Amino acid sequence: MKVIALSGSLRAASINSALLRAAARLAPQDMRIEVFRGLGDLPLFNIDLEAAVPPSVAALRAAVGGADALLIASPEYAHGVSGVMKNALDWLVSLESFINKPVALLNAQPRAYFSDAALRETLKTMSAVVVESASVSIQLTADTLTEEGMLASPPVTQAILAALLDLRAAVLGGGGQGPLFPVR
Ligand SMILES: Cc1cc2nc3c(=O)[nH]c(=O)nc-3n(C[C@H](O)[C@H](O)[C@H](O)COP(=O)(O)O)c2cc1C
C-alpha cells in the first residue's frame, strides 16, 4: 500500500517533516510512505490556473491521486493551519480521487488543537476520511525533535508505528473483514 506524507512546514529543521520521515522509515514492509517534497513549489491557489495547472500542482495531484492513504503533519501558526498546508489542500479540493481518501493526522504539538480541529474540518469538507484511530498527538521532548532522535525513542516509535498500523488496518481491512477502502 502506498502512502503520501505531507508536511505543512518548509523549515529545514521542521519537526513535522522529521516526524513524517521517521514514519517512512518505521513503516511495515507492505506500506511504502513517500514524503512529498514539492509543497513549497506550489503557487498560491488561484482558480484561474485550473485551465492549465502548473507542473507542481500536477505533481501533487498525481502523487495524492495514486496513494491509498495520506499521512499529514502540520504546524499550528496563530491558532490556524499553516498556509503551506492549507494552500496544498486548496489545490486538492477539485481532485475527484480525494473523495474517501483515508487520512491520518500526526500532531507533533499536543497543545496545537486549533489547527488540528481546523484540519479535520477541512478534510471532512473535502470528503476525505480522517482515520481517527491513526490520528494521534505525539508527545515530543527536547531529545526527540529530530528524525534520529524520534527513531531512538521507544515511546515515539511505538506511537508512530501504532498509528501506521491503524491506518493500514483501516485501508486494508482487519479482523477478517474486507477492505474498508478500495486499494490500488
Ligand atoms: C509565527 C508562528 C506562530 C505560531 N503559532 C503557534 C500557535 O498558535 N500554537 C502553537 O502551538 N504553536 C505555534 N507556533 C509554534 C510552531 O507551531 C512550532 O514552532 C512548530 O514546531 C513549527 O513546526 P515545524 O517545526 O514543523 O516547522 C508558532 C510558531 C510561529 C513561527
Side-chain angles (χ1 to χ4, degrees):
M1 117 183 212
K2 185 170 180 190
V3 177
I4 290 292
L6 301 176
S7 169
S9 174
L10 302 180
R11 213 163 62 86
S14 163
I15 296 165
N16 288 282
S17 302
L19 189 56
L20 295 177
R21 290 195 304 272
R25 289 171 62 183
L26 287 168
Q29 265 195 342
D30 60 352
M31 192 180 200
R32 191 155 55 85
I33 300 180
E34 182 191 322
V35 181
F36 186 83
R37 294 174 200 277
L39 295 193
D41 299 328
L42 297 174
L44 288 176
F45 178 71
N46 179 349
I47 203 162
D48 292 348
L49 302 180
E50 281 290 0
V53 292
S56 55
V57 175
L60 173 67
R61 288 180 177 173
V64 170
D68 300 302
L70 299 184
L71 188 60
I72 290 180
S74 188
E76 174 172 287
Y77 292 141
H79 288 186
V81 177
S82 80
V84 170
M85 180 54 62
K86 186 60 169 65
N87 189 48
L89 293 175
D90 287 346
W91 279 116
L92 293 170
V93 167
S94 62
L95 185 68
E96 209 171 306
S97 61
F98 206 83
I99 295 170
N100 288 335
K101 186 75 74 183
V103 182
L105 294 172
L106 297 184
N107 185 357
Q109 298 160 273
R111 282 183 311 133
Y113 47 82
F114 292 99
S115 60
D116 195 54
L119 256 181
R120 283 164 199 270
E121 181 63 23
T122 297
L123 290 164
K124 284 174 185 167
T125 303
M126 291 169 69
S127 301
V129 177
V130 176
V131 179
E132 292 297 341
S133 59
S135 297
V136 292
S137 288
I138 296 184
Q139 194 75 50
L140 299 173
T141 60
D143 293 340
T144 57
L145 299 180
T146 62
E147 179 182 346
E148 297 305 330
M150 291 171 192
L151 291 171
S153 161
V156 174
T157 57
Q158 278 159 24
I160 295 172
L161 193 54
L164 296 182
L165 293 177
D166 279 343
L167 179 61
R168 185 177 68 168
V171 173
L172 299 179
Q177 296 165 2
L180 300 180
F181 304 99
V183 180
R184 272 168 226 97

